[in-house]
Amino acid sequence: MSRAHKLLRTRVVATVSAVAALGLVVGCSGGDGDGGTGGGVKDGEVTITMGLFGVMGYKETGLLDQYMKENPNVRIEAEVAGDEQTYYTALQTHLAAGSGLKDIQGIEIGRAKELADTQAAKFTDLSGVKGADHFLPWKLSQVTAKDDKVIGFGTDIGPMAVCYRKDMFEQAGLPTDREEVAELWEGDWSKYVEAGKEFKKGTKNDKVAFMDSASGLFNAMIYGNSEQFYNESGELIYQDNPAVTEAWKLAAEAGGTGLTAKLRQFQPGWDPGLANSTFATAVCPAWMLGHISEKAGPANKGKWDVAKAPKGANWGGSFLGVIDKSPVKEEAKKLVAWLTAPEQQESIFKKLGNFPSSQEALKAPAVTDAKSEYFSDAPIGKIFGEAAQEIPDKQVLGRKDGTIKDIFSQGLTLIESQGKSPDEAWKDTEDRIKKATG
Amino acid sequence: MATSLPTTRTGERERPRQRRRTLLHRLDLRGAPYAFITPFFVVFAAFSFYPLVYTAWISLHRVELATMNVMEWVAFDNYTALWQDERFWNALLNTLTLGVLSTVPQLMTALGLAHLLNYRLRGSTFFRVAAITPYATSVGAAALVFTMLFERDFGMINWMLSLVGVDNVDWENNKWAAQTAISTIVIWRWTGYNALLYLAAMQAVPRDRYEAAAIDGASRWQQFVSVTIPGIRSTIVFTIVLSTIGATQLFGEPLIFGQGPMGVTGGADNQYQTLGLLLYEEGWKNYQMGRAATVAWVMFLLLILVFVVQRVVKRLASRRASSVRTS
Amino acid sequence: MTTDSLPVRTDVRPQPPKDSRPARRSLRTRLRPGAGRQHHAGPLTYLLLTVAALVSLFPLYWTMVAASTDNTRVSQTPPPFLPGPHLLENLGKAWQDAALGKAMVNSFIVAGVIALSTVLFATLAGFAFAKLRFKGRNILLMLVIGTMMVPPQLSVVPLFMMMTDLGWGQKLPAVIFPTLVSAVGVFFMRQYLSEALPDELVEAGRIDGAHSLRIFWSIVLPIARPPMAVLFMITFVHAWNDFFWPFIVLDMTNPTVPVALTQLSAGYIRDQSLIMAGALLGTLPLLVMFVVFGRQIVGGIMQGAVKG
């Protein structure tokens, strides 16, 4: 027994030291320890690291592979985080500590202003990069810091339309042709809500709601204005901005009168709603089409269509920035310029539906003539292209845009799902915004 | 050992040796305890205590996550603001109700389960492993599955309820439904773990106590109450302390249950926002590290308060009990 | 603790500490842990345990079902109860998309080192707090308990700065070092040992001239083995599943399993089945460990009981 015990003891000791040693070895061999960006040049091979999130699609469409093929001395290591909130938290922490950053970092539109205001010094100025004068003017102004430094290049934009179910419209006695449907609510979002009331009256299936969520409508309305929550000098103006208050009123009305399916876009409950056809319309930015077709599934192919929205608006869109400290800054700039170049934007649009932020790409026939098979062959290039024209030429962003947008969605949920009055919900929303911006 | 050596010559030599031995012995008695706890405290000081103090320092400032080097001294403003903040009291209350909802059934069930597992069983390994399996599941995976099961329109639980004629429950937006669902995740994950701890402790209860109790004519239930429970008292205390602390820090389950931005705030109406979530909201949604640090320190102080009060009550109770006995 | 009934001293004292074998054996028979109660289980017990096992296992089973179907099927009413045809396909895709190979190795290293060191240091400290007398014992113990109350999210910023200064950013030591010891572990071992280790045994060892380390080695360790095994398992699981801090400090070039799994919800379109497949893969090593070691750990304790 004692021998067995001794044997066990030696074995335990051996295991302990082995595991500990292994831990040290692996610990020392991973990464490069200078607190840099992970990229660098070694034996003539350039390594560029990228930090991306959610819906950017560069990895998925094979664009990164293509770049590496065309530039055999370049290796790209891209890391895609799922949730943008988590991604941004890590980015903030890394910026705060000045380490753990990638050579290239994705920037979501809701964070653009905050980064341009507080972190511009950590990004490289992209304004001088050649052949980069093809972006929509408002796109780049969103990431331009006070000293005219451009901290990122635009990826896509989010012009809006309304996606709707032809079969449900027909059943409710509404027109189904996309031109006629567009006419139903032409020029005014309140007509869209009126159409919803018609739909509710006409439909025989009380399990089907007119739209998925009140916040979709709210977003579409506020983003049609050049100012939303902040004015140009960075002051909070949402309380007195008619664009916001009117959107709130209408969305609250829709949410409070049972026109919505009480879902939250891009959250798991939304997907089964699509799969099981529980709503007839969704306000859809271009990049949402891919999601709808995937989640609604082949069974619903041809039942969906796309109609022009009452007013043009831009929801979403991202940027790619280059970290100033990067040892491969020039190569990273080149890669960013390439990824956001008209040809690549076209290619992403064709594969995923992300709408180009490049004026040239917007004019390309591959974009203007594009049709969506899933959405009853709707001419999405034309519809979204025209919507993009209507987007106000000035888009004022604010520091906490992303957070405030979430707080408003939350406020609308109070009305939709918890039976609060719009006034109560507005008061809660105000309190929360005060906390979030204070 | 030493006394077995015969001659006086060695006996003379022995004295200094023995003195050295007693010295060593004393050194051992005095020093060994400290040597034993040193590794813990060294690592603790470096990676827990220092951050804790730093956090206290941060809580006296206005600091944003992205610009940690810019700290504006505000003294105790963060603390007074928190005191006046409705969300704080709401979160405190939710932490309390969620704590009770998840801890009490969990420990009761665990005790019962351990008792059952302590029988002589066929397939006992299977039952034990089955009981502990949920614990192997990460918070993330568990919360994801339960979120799907508790889904409002197409979730399995609502489907089963519909079979017995209950209308769809909005598990997220109804306050008590949401707290029940979140507690379910906690209970599912931790009951088996606690049961295993109880079982291990039950196995260490000496058998003669049961024999003595049996001789005294105690029924099985009486044996359970008068032998098993007292016999595993320290372990029960351990699990109570641990689940209380776990309950105050409840975070991952409600965060994932709420899905996305709604999780951070603990529901649209903060109906299941815990103190842990409030901390997270302040720090990682509003990026106000000073306020987040304040919440953390208040949580810390509250727990200390709870334990001090508990100790005082216990001491008073035992003093009263003893004075009753002597009178 | 009433240990009076245990005739421990008379057994131990005559034994020289160097040859502790007979002492241990007689001790073990006397102290037979797990004497517990050994009534045979009735049908009701089996029924209740079966229900408990079903409740325990169902969510995992359903994870597997969800991982084996596709997005549309998963959200149908009535929900699917039987696995669909895509399990292997989804598992393979999840393994590849999240690059789980390296993550698994990393997680094993991280969790293994943390669990071993936690068990070792917790047993040492737990023994000291339970059975040794020294100045400041109570205050230090309160301090240990106090540290359990610190919400872990908050140390993140100072810790991250520290790791950057140490040059450990994106490296495994940054995840390993802060959790090399655990207050919970110390508290757990203390609670167990103060119950299961009679004072007389330690005193007997002292009278025989054994120094503290020897007492620890030949008296404490054998008794503490079951809780050590439990603590190892618990710590391993905890370290394996830890997400927030590793996510902040590591990156995808050198991730642990939970960090790597975030890649799955990163796709352009969120694929619920794929996420479930990933969750299943991430849990699988732990399940295997529980099935393999769980039997030994719990079985070991049981064995003593049954034989006695």
Side-chain angles (χ1 to χ4, degrees):
Chain A
M1 199 173 174
S2 125
R3 241 181 75 204
H5 188 72
K6 230 182 217 159
L7 203 71
L8 181 74
R9 185 195 306 181
T10 14
R11 220 184 285 158
V12 168
V13 171
T15 322
V16 172
S17 38
V19 173
L22 198 59
L24 290 177
V25 170
V26 172
C28 296
S29 61
D32 52 9
D34 57 357
T37 54
V41 188
K42 201 180 161 196
D43 306 330
E45 191 184 59
V46 180
T47 303
I48 305 173
T49 58
M50 296 181 85
L52 307 172
F53 55 85
V55 296
M56 304 183 91
Y58 293 122
K59 219 176 177 177
E60 293 87 335
T61 53
L63 277 178
L64 298 181
D65 291 330
Q66 191 190 330
Y67 190 82
M68 286 190 270
K69 215 182 228 170
E70 289 172 15
N71 302 272
N73 65 326
V74 175
R75 210 161 60 97
I76 305 169
E77 284 172 6
E79 199 171 284
V80 190
D83 168 41
E84 197 275 333
Q85 172 89 35
T86 326
Y87 165 83
Y88 189 59
T89 299
L91 178 61
Q92 292 254 54
T93 317
H94 293 158
L95 285 167
S99 85
L101 294 162
K102 306 287 171 197
D103 298 308
I104 296 170
Q105 293 280 359
I107 302 168
E108 211 265 340
I109 190 169
R111 320 292 189 183
K113 179 72 173 167
E114 183 154 59
L115 290 178
D117 277 3
T118 61
Q119 304 287 354
K122 302 213 165 105
F123 287 90
T124 293
D125 186 7
L126 296 175
S127 58
V129 175
K130 262 189 210 149
D133 44 8
H134 57 87
F135 292 100
L136 289 166
W138 55 265
K139 183 77 181 171
L140 285 194
S141 73
Q142 290 178 331
V143 279
T144 305
K146 281 188 202 94
D147 52 358
D148 289 333
K149 184 174 183 178
V150 175
I151 67 164
F153 275 166
T155 59
D156 61 327
I157 58 174
M160 306 252 211
V162 177
C163 295
Y164 69 99
R165 286 282 297 257
K166 285 190 298 189
D167 53 334
M168 295 180 186
F169 267 46
E170 185 173 5
Q171 206 211 19
L174 294 176
T176 57
D177 176 74
R178 62 181 77 94
E179 305 283 337
E180 286 171 49
V181 168
E183 259 168 50
L184 271 181
W185 49 62
E186 193 172 9
D188 194 345
W189 280 103
S190 65
K191 288 196 205 158
Y192 171 66
V193 174
E194 289 307 314
K197 290 178 187 160
E198 287 293 304
F199 178 89
K200 203 179 175 203
K201 247 183 268 161
T203 186
K204 281 150 209 113
N205 185 350
D206 63 352
K207 286 243 167 87
V208 173
F210 180 62
M211 59 180 113
D212 55 346
S213 73
S215 56
L217 172 61
F218 178 80
N219 288 336
M221 285 181 76
I222 59 166
Y223 290 128
N225 209 48
S226 53
E227 284 180 343
Q228 297 111 36
F229 308 128
Y230 291 83
N231 66 13
E232 258 185 296
S233 39
E235 290 159 337
L236 270 176
I237 54 156
Y238 73 93
Q239 282 151 312
D240 309 310
N241 184 356
V244 175
T245 50
E246 271 164 32
W248 171 268
K249 225 181 266 164
L250 198 62
E253 189 193 336
T257 52
L259 295 184
T260 67
K262 303 175 185 177
L263 296 171
R264 282 185 280 131
Q265 292 177 331
F266 296 102
Q267 303 310 331
W270 195 53
D271 297 344
L274 281 164
N276 292 287
S277 310
T278 60
F279 51 87
T281 66
V283 180
C284 52
W287 43 264
M288 200 187 274
L289 296 189
H291 192 103
I292 293 178
S293 58
E294 174 73 23
K295 293 298 175 182
N300 293 314
K301 189 176 171 184
K303 294 180 184 166
W304 282 95
D305 206 329
V306 185
K308 197 171 170 294
K311 269 182 174 170
N314 178 66
W315 177 10
S318 304
F319 303 88
L320 292 176
V322 174
I323 296 298
D324 199 44
K325 243 177 37 179
S326 161
V328 287
K329 204 156 73 179
E330 293 310 315
E331 289 86 349
K333 274 188 194 172
K334 248 169 61 191
L335 175 57
V336 164
W338 185 83
L339 284 172
T340 55
E343 301 78 41
Q344 278 62 250
Q345 294 209 13
E346 265 180 63
S347 139
I348 286 213
F349 170 71
K350 270 188 280 181
K351 283 176 187 143
L352 299 177
N354 289 8
F355 214 68
S357 63
S358 155
Q359 285 170 309
E360 272 174 47
L362 283 171
K363 281 178 222 138
V367 173
T368 52
D369 299 344
K371 285 187 175 169
S372 166
E373 207 190 326
Y374 189 90
F375 288 85
S376 314
D377 283 322
I380 53 172
K382 185 169 157 276
I383 294 173
F384 287 111
E386 281 171 13
Q389 301 284 315
E390 282 182 35
I391 296 172
D393 271 346
K394 204 157 85 192
Q395 291 271 305
V396 179
L397 295 184
R399 273 193 66 179
K400 300 285 182 186
D401 271 347
T403 310
I404 297 177
K405 190 191 86 198
D406 286 345
I407 293 175
F408 268 105
S409 301
Q410 211 179 329
L412 289 168
T413 305
L414 286 177
I415 301 168
E416 273 180 296
S417 301
Q418 306 208 346
K420 284 215 177 186
S421 75
D423 288 345
E424 278 176 297
W426 175 265
K427 207 188 142 285
D428 285 354
T429 304
E430 272 185 317
D431 284 348
R432 285 172 182 157
I433 292 175
K434 210 189 273 167
K435 279 283 165 197
T437 53
Chain B
M1 259 191 262
T3 42
S4 65
L5 294 164
T7 63
T8 45
R9 237 178 38 204
T10 42
E12 273 162 20
R13 229 190 277 154
E14 206 175 78
R15 223 171 277 155
R17 228 176 101 188
Q18 204 158 23
R19 202 180 296 155
R20 214 175 68 216
R21 276 195 52 165
T22 38
L23 192 76
L24 272 178
H25 181 66
R26 236 194 256 154
L27 203 70
D28 175 50
L29 266 188
R30 288 259 173 88
Y34 295 107
F36 283 6
I37 62 171
T38 299
F40 172 81
F41 278 101
V42 167
V43 179
F44 162 69
F47 298 106
S48 299
F49 189 67
Y50 162 75
L52 188 67
V53 174
Y54 194 87
T55 298
W57 179 244
I58 291 177
S59 77
L60 304 175
H61 293 80
R62 193 197 138 90
V63 198
E64 290 200 37
L65 176 62
T67 48
M68 287 293 292
N69 47 340
V70 188
M71 292 173 82
E72 181 193 332
W73 175 262
V74 296
F76 288 94
D77 282 7
N78 285 329
Y79 288 87
T80 49
L82 189 68
W83 183 267
Q84 290 156 359
D85 193 340
E86 261 175 58
R87 292 179 312 159
F88 168 68
W89 299 103
N90 173 58
L92 185 63
L93 200 67
N94 283 341
T95 309
L96 208 70
T97 51
L98 271 168
V100 172
L101 275 176
S102 58
T103 308
V104 175
Q106 174 197 8
L107 295 183
M108 298 291 223
T109 319
L111 203 56
L113 191 61
H115 179 68
L116 295 178
L117 287 171
N118 201 21
Y119 280 105
R120 207 178 269 208
L121 284 169
R122 273 170 194 284
S124 61
T125 312
F126 166 75
F127 288 121
R128 291 203 177 98
V129 173
I132 191 77
T133 311
Y135 182 72
T137 318
S138 66
V139 180
L144 272 175
V145 181
F146 275 90
T147 308
M148 283 176 87
L149 294 175
F150 278 112
E151 214 268 314
R152 184 191 64 197
D153 295 332
F154 304 99
M156 185 173 293
I157 289 170
N158 270 349
W159 174 73
M160 287 202 262
L161 288 176
S162 74
L163 294 182
V164 291
V166 178
D167 274 347
N168 270 4
V169 179
D170 190 344
W171 289 104
E172 213 235 310
N173 280 302
N174 180 314
K175 177 169 182 165
W176 295 109
Q179 295 208 356
T180 309
I182 292 164
S183 302
T184 308
I185 308 176
V186 181
I187 294 170
W188 180 73
R189 271 191 81 226
W190 288 91
T191 301
Y193 162 91
N194 285 311
L196 195 76
L197 293 189
Y198 290 153
L199 181 66
M202 282 178 186
Q203 311 261 310
V205 177
R207 166 180 296 181
D208 24 6
R209 290 197 213 160
Y210 287 102
E211 282 159 5
I215 290 166
D216 290 345
S219 68
R220 284 189 188 184
W221 172 250
Q222 283 165 333
Q223 286 181 30
F224 180 71
V225 174
S226 63
V227 181
T228 310
I229 304 261
I232 63 169
R233 224 182 114 247
S234 317
T235 308
I236 293 181
V237 170
F238 172 77
T239 56
I240 290 176
V241 170
L242 203 69
S243 12
T244 308
I245 290 172
T248 54
Q249 294 178 358
L250 190 64
F251 166 70
E253 289 88 348
L255 179 76
I256 296 169
F257 178 75
Q259 300 170 10
M262 218 63 103
V264 182
T265 55
D269 200 22
N270 309 116
Q271 66 269 25
Y272 52 90
Q273 182 169 51
T274 60
L275 287 173
L277 276 178
L278 180 64
L279 184 160
Y280 187 75
E281 186 191 356
E282 291 288 29
W284 283 272
K285 182 177 165 231
N286 299 340
Y287 302 113
Q288 293 290 346
M289 298 318 286
R291 297 204 313 241
T294 309
V295 178
W297 261 86
V298 168
M299 284 168 77
F300 186 44
L301 295 175
L302 274 173
L303 267 169
I304 290 178
L305 190 75
V306 167
F307 281 92
V308 168
V309 166
Q310 181 253 345
R311 277 206 119 166
V312 169
V313 167
K314 208 171 130 195
R315 192 162 294 175
L316 284 178
S318 67
R319 194 174 293 166
R320 243 179 80 197
S322 62
S323 72
V324 166
R325 216 175 295 145
T326 46
S327 64
Chain C
M1 279 287 306
T2 47
T3 41
D4 327 26
S5 57
L6 300 167
V8 165
R9 280 175 169 216
T10 45
D11 273 352
V12 177
R13 208 181 327 191
Q15 303 299 336
K18 268 191 183 163
D19 182 12
S20 57
R21 176 166 47 124
R24 191 180 306 122
R25 187 186 289 155
S26 63
L27 266 174
R28 293 188 102 199
T29 34
R30 290 290 173 181
L31 265 179
R32 175 72 63 231
R37 44 202 287 157
Q38 286 302 315
H39 300 293
H40 283 278
L44 184 65
T45 305
Y46 280 107
L47 182 72
L48 287 174
L49 283 174
T50 308
V51 170
L54 278 179
V55 171
S56 273
L57 295 177
F58 181 75
L60 278 172
Y61 170 75
W62 206 73
T63 307
M64 198 263 285
V65 172
S68 67
T69 54
D70 51 56
N71 272 308
T72 22
R73 180 75 188 98
V74 130
S75 49
Q76 273 166 5
T77 8
F81 281 97
L82 293 174
H86 304 293
L87 182 62
L88 288 181
E89 178 193 326
N90 281 335
L91 287 180
K93 197 162 178 298
W95 178 274
Q96 214 159 32
D97 286 6
L100 279 178
K102 183 166 192 192
M104 289 269 177
V105 175
N106 279 346
S107 277
F108 268 110
I109 294 166
V110 167
V113 173
I114 289 175
L116 279 176
S117 84
T118 300
V119 168
L120 178 67
F121 295 140
T123 313
L124 273 174
F127 166 56
F129 279 123
K131 293 292 158 181
L132 302 181
R133 265 157 241 306
F134 54 96
K135 259 187 205 162
R137 183 170 86 157
N138 286 337
I139 291 173
L140 287 172
L141 184 65
M142 280 307 281
L143 200 64
V144 171
I145 298 175
T147 62
M148 300 197 299
M149 305 170 191
V150 184
Q153 292 89 17
L154 207 81
S155 326
V156 163
V157 172
L159 262 187
F160 188 82
M161 293 171 154
M162 221 165 127
M163 293 307 166
T164 308
D165 289 345
L166 288 169
W168 287 352
Q170 289 81 51
K171 292 183 189 168
L172 297 187
V175 179
I176 295 174
F177 271 87
T179 32
L180 269 184
V181 299
S182 119
V184 177
V186 173
F187 186 47
F188 172 62
M189 289 312 291
R190 182 208 172 253
Q191 295 299 89
Y192 184 89
L193 286 175
S194 56
E195 215 155 58
L197 175 68
D199 292 338
E200 287 84 350
L201 261 186
V202 180
E203 279 161 34
R206 288 246 185 263
I207 289 165
D208 290 328
H211 54 79
S212 301
L213 203 61
R214 161 119 253 145
I215 292 177
F216 177 75
W217 192 262
S218 36
I219 298 177
V220 179
L221 277 190
I223 286 183
R225 227 179 285 160
M228 281 170 82
V230 172
L231 184 62
F232 181 89
M233 231 164 68
I234 290 167
T235 317
F236 191 93
V237 169
H238 197 82
W240 182 278
N241 285 333
D242 198 16
F243 170 67
F244 189 63
W245 170 241
F247 181 79
I248 296 283
V249 82
L250 295 180
D251 63 14
M252 290 306 164
T253 56
N254 198 27
T256 57
V257 170
V259 177
L261 286 179
T262 59
Q263 294 272 75
L264 291 181
S265 49
Y268 183 71
I269 284 146
R270 186 188 167 103
D271 186 337
Q272 201 71 22
S273 301
L274 199 61
I275 295 172
M276 287 321 207
L280 199 63
L281 277 177
T283 313
L284 216 53
L286 294 183
L287 289 180
V288 170
M289 190 179 99
F290 271 39
V291 171
V292 174
F293 289 95
R295 176 193 288 265
Q296 276 173 347
I297 289 161
V298 195
I301 314 169
M302 252 347 234
Q303 221 176 21
V306 175
K307 273 190 201 147

Short mmCIF file of all heavy atoms in Angstrom, two decimals, chain C residues 5 61 73 84 94 145 158 197 217 231 264 268 277 293:
data_model
loop_
_atom_site.label_atom_id
_atom_site.label_comp_id
_atom_site.label_asym_id
_atom_site.label_seq_id
_atom_site.Cartn_x
_atom_site.Cartn_y
_atom_site.Cartn_z
N SER C 5 -15.91 9.42 20.68
CA SER C 5 -16.16 7.99 20.52
C SER C 5 -15.08 7.31 19.68
O SER C 5 -15.05 6.09 19.60
CB SER C 5 -17.52 7.78 19.84
OG SER C 5 -17.51 8.45 18.61
N TYR C 61 -29.89 16.90 -23.70
CA TYR C 61 -30.39 16.12 -24.82
C TYR C 61 -30.98 17.05 -25.86
O TYR C 61 -30.74 16.90 -27.06
CB TYR C 61 -31.44 15.12 -24.32
CG TYR C 61 -32.19 14.44 -25.43
CD1 TYR C 61 -31.57 13.43 -26.18
CD2 TYR C 61 -33.49 14.80 -25.76
CE1 TYR C 61 -32.24 12.81 -27.21
CE2 TYR C 61 -34.17 14.19 -26.79
CZ TYR C 61 -33.55 13.19 -27.52
OH TYR C 61 -34.20 12.59 -28.55
N ARG C 73 -36.61 23.96 -38.50
CA ARG C 73 -37.18 22.84 -37.77
C ARG C 73 -37.17 23.11 -36.26
O ARG C 73 -38.08 22.76 -35.54
CB ARG C 73 -36.39 21.56 -38.09
CG ARG C 73 -36.88 20.31 -37.39
CD ARG C 73 -38.16 19.80 -38.02
NE ARG C 73 -38.72 18.70 -37.24
CZ ARG C 73 -39.69 18.85 -36.35
NH1 ARG C 73 -40.17 20.03 -36.09
NH2 ARG C 73 -40.17 17.81 -35.70
N GLY C 84 -32.41 15.22 -35.53
CA GLY C 84 -32.51 15.29 -36.97
C GLY C 84 -31.25 14.74 -37.62
O GLY C 84 -30.38 14.19 -36.94
N ALA C 94 -19.05 23.38 -36.81
CA ALA C 94 -18.75 24.18 -35.62
C ALA C 94 -17.28 24.03 -35.23
O ALA C 94 -16.61 25.00 -34.89
CB ALA C 94 -19.65 23.76 -34.46
N ILE C 145 -13.01 34.89 3.09
CA ILE C 145 -14.44 34.87 2.75
C ILE C 145 -14.83 36.17 2.07
O ILE C 145 -15.59 36.19 1.10
CB ILE C 145 -15.30 34.64 4.01
CG1 ILE C 145 -14.93 33.27 4.60
CG2 ILE C 145 -16.78 34.68 3.69
CD1 ILE C 145 -15.62 32.97 5.90
N PRO C 158 -8.34 46.99 -13.90
CA PRO C 158 -7.00 46.99 -13.30
C PRO C 158 -6.19 45.76 -13.72
O PRO C 158 -5.00 45.88 -14.02
CB PRO C 158 -7.26 46.96 -11.80
CG PRO C 158 -8.69 47.24 -11.60
CD PRO C 158 -9.39 47.13 -12.90
N LEU C 197 -11.67 15.81 9.95
CA LEU C 197 -10.35 15.50 10.51
C LEU C 197 -10.40 15.76 12.01
O LEU C 197 -10.46 16.90 12.45
CB LEU C 197 -9.30 16.40 9.84
CG LEU C 197 -7.88 16.31 10.35
CD1 LEU C 197 -7.27 14.97 10.03
CD2 LEU C 197 -7.03 17.43 9.77
N TRP C 217 1.08 15.64 5.00
CA TRP C 217 1.24 14.62 3.97
C TRP C 217 0.61 13.29 4.36
O TRP C 217 -0.11 12.69 3.58
CB TRP C 217 2.73 14.44 3.65
CG TRP C 217 2.92 13.63 2.42
CD1 TRP C 217 3.20 12.32 2.36
CD2 TRP C 217 2.80 14.10 1.08
NE1 TRP C 217 3.27 11.92 1.05
CE2 TRP C 217 3.03 13.00 0.24
CE3 TRP C 217 2.52 15.34 0.50
CZ2 TRP C 217 2.99 13.09 -1.14
CZ3 TRP C 217 2.49 15.43 -0.87
CH2 TRP C 217 2.72 14.32 -1.67
N LEU C 231 -13.08 19.16 -5.42
CA LEU C 231 -12.61 20.52 -5.69
C LEU C 231 -11.90 20.60 -7.03
O LEU C 231 -12.05 21.57 -7.77
CB LEU C 231 -11.66 20.97 -4.56
CG LEU C 231 -11.17 22.41 -4.66
CD1 LEU C 231 -12.33 23.38 -4.58
CD2 LEU C 231 -10.17 22.71 -3.55
N LEU C 264 -18.91 31.44 -33.55
CA LEU C 264 -20.04 30.78 -34.18
C LEU C 264 -21.23 31.71 -34.34
O LEU C 264 -21.98 31.64 -35.31
CB LEU C 264 -20.48 29.56 -33.36
CG LEU C 264 -19.49 28.41 -33.37
CD1 LEU C 264 -20.03 27.26 -32.56
CD2 LEU C 264 -19.19 27.98 -34.79
N TYR C 268 -22.41 35.85 -40.69
CA TYR C 268 -23.26 36.89 -41.23
C TYR C 268 -24.68 36.69 -40.75
O TYR C 268 -25.39 37.60 -40.41
CB TYR C 268 -23.19 36.85 -42.75
CG TYR C 268 -23.98 37.93 -43.39
CD1 TYR C 268 -23.53 39.25 -43.32
CD2 TYR C 268 -25.17 37.68 -44.05
CE1 TYR C 268 -24.25 40.26 -43.89
CE2 TYR C 268 -25.89 38.68 -44.63
CZ TYR C 268 -25.43 39.97 -44.56
OH TYR C 268 -26.15 40.98 -45.11
N ALA C 277 -24.56 23.32 -31.66
CA ALA C 277 -23.52 22.32 -31.91
C ALA C 277 -22.23 22.73 -31.21
O ALA C 277 -21.54 21.90 -30.60
CB ALA C 277 -23.30 22.16 -33.42
N PHE C 293 -14.07 10.31 -14.63
CA PHE C 293 -13.53 10.55 -13.30
C PHE C 293 -14.61 10.56 -12.23
O PHE C 293 -14.36 10.20 -11.10
CB PHE C 293 -12.77 11.88 -13.26
CG PHE C 293 -11.48 11.84 -14.00
CD1 PHE C 293 -11.41 12.26 -15.30
CD2 PHE C 293 -10.33 11.36 -13.38
CE1 PHE C 293 -10.21 12.21 -16.00
CE2 PHE C 293 -9.14 11.31 -14.07
CZ PHE C 293 -9.08 11.74 -15.38
#
